[in-house]
Amino acid sequence: MKLRDAPSACPSLWRCLPCPPAELRLDLVLSSAQSFRWWESSPGAWTGVLGERVWTLRQDRDRLWYTVYGEEDEHEEEERDGCSAKAAKLDGAEADGILRDYFQLDVGLSALYRTWEAADPLFCKVAKDFPGVRVLRLDPIECLFSFICTSNNHISRITAMIERLCQAFGRRLCCLNGRTFHAFPSLSALTGTDAEDRLRALGFGYRAKFVSGSARAIAEGLGAEGLSQLRTAPYAEARKVLCALPGVGAKVADCVCLLSLDKAEAVPVDTHIWHIARQRYGVAAGGKSLTPRAYQEIGDFFRRLWGPRAGWAQAVLFCADLRKSQQRASSRDQAWDSRSQDSHGNGPR
């Protein structure tokens, strides 16, 4: 059974939630560097790990379809000839709740867009081409260690690093269409004495020290539960706790605050947002580098402009800028391929 045919071909294995595109666009949200654990398994269908289970999601008009795959036991791993997981028998209400929480579907996105459009003419221009961009609610452990890997890195490499991390340290979940899926590593799995060496062998470079160091610091301090409890702490307090961890600066801390700790006012400022603030909004912050002071000024500017969910509005601009950058890169690659073919006499005649 092909994944793209699943909703109509096998409805008993699929469930759906009402969810119009204005409230969620899977193709934009799952490819916008909020989570690095989803891949487009067939046109319009996205497969990934959520809540230690493997899911496939797709949209059909005003509905969000999903199916969940069962976890293999030891005998199935040994005896299965192919690599095609079975659908899990998961309580429908529980599964619906997991997705609603993950996509924060209780937050009315269309109303927020209207508020931001009224406050910001530049946002208004972007919004019409990028509807349905909302902020995910990730597990704090997964979010923290994923974003430690993002420093001086690009999306494809980050995705590959996290995949290797899960394969090496995470529990195997199932195999689907030739691909094996693993849960994100537990905190205890990353605190072993050999964790840093193993991470370096996996190509993490200097980030290996930060991942293993932060894992030990959390395990010996507030613990995984304490990290989750930062959801109820004030934004400034949560940010301060995160910035005390090895390898966590202001941007990583803000990503974790926004994407896993319910701090909707957190505005992660990377080079994309820095350039947007300076070039499109005229924010005179920073010279040739993004200083801590400039970082704070830019975040404060957007919080004044967009209000208490400024981080959500930032996610829309970031997604738009990222998509346009990817399109420009794709155009350059196509032009290079064309020139390369012409130079070898393989182009059109």
Side-chain angles (χ1 to χ4, degrees), residues 254-286:
D254 275 335
C255 288
V256 178
C257 281
L258 176 64
L259 296 169
S260 68
L261 297 182
D262 301 339
K263 312 303 180 215
E265 70 270 43
V267 179
V269 180
D270 68 347
T271 54
H272 287 271
I273 300 302
W274 181 34
H275 291 145
I276 287 172
R278 296 179 68 189
Q279 296 171 6
R280 301 184 199 173
Y281 289 88
V283 180

Side-chain angles (χ1 to χ4, degrees), residues 180-230:
T180 303
F181 292 85
H182 293 75
F184 198 86
S186 64
L187 186 62
S188 60
L190 297 173
T191 57
T193 55
D194 63 342
E196 182 178 340
D197 290 338
R198 291 175 64 190
L199 288 166
R200 288 188 183 278
L202 291 172
F204 276 62
Y206 67 88
R207 302 173 193 85
K209 177 174 65 176
F210 295 148
V211 171
S212 61
S214 285
R216 287 194 302 272
I218 295 171
E220 295 168 2
L222 71 168
E225 184 176 346
L227 183 64
S228 294
Q229 288 175 352
L230 291 176

Side-chain angles (χ1 to χ4, degrees), residues 3-40:
L3 291 174
R4 62 176 175 269
D5 299 328
S8 58
C10 202
S12 63
L13 301 181
W14 288 75
R15 287 179 57 87
C16 67
L17 290 171
C19 189
E23 290 294 320
L24 172 66
R25 278 277 301 273
L26 284 180
D27 60 323
L28 296 178
V29 174
L30 298 183
S31 64
S32 62
Q34 293 190 42
S35 171
F36 303 94
R37 304 220 62 201
W38 294 92
W39 63 294
E40 194 172 12

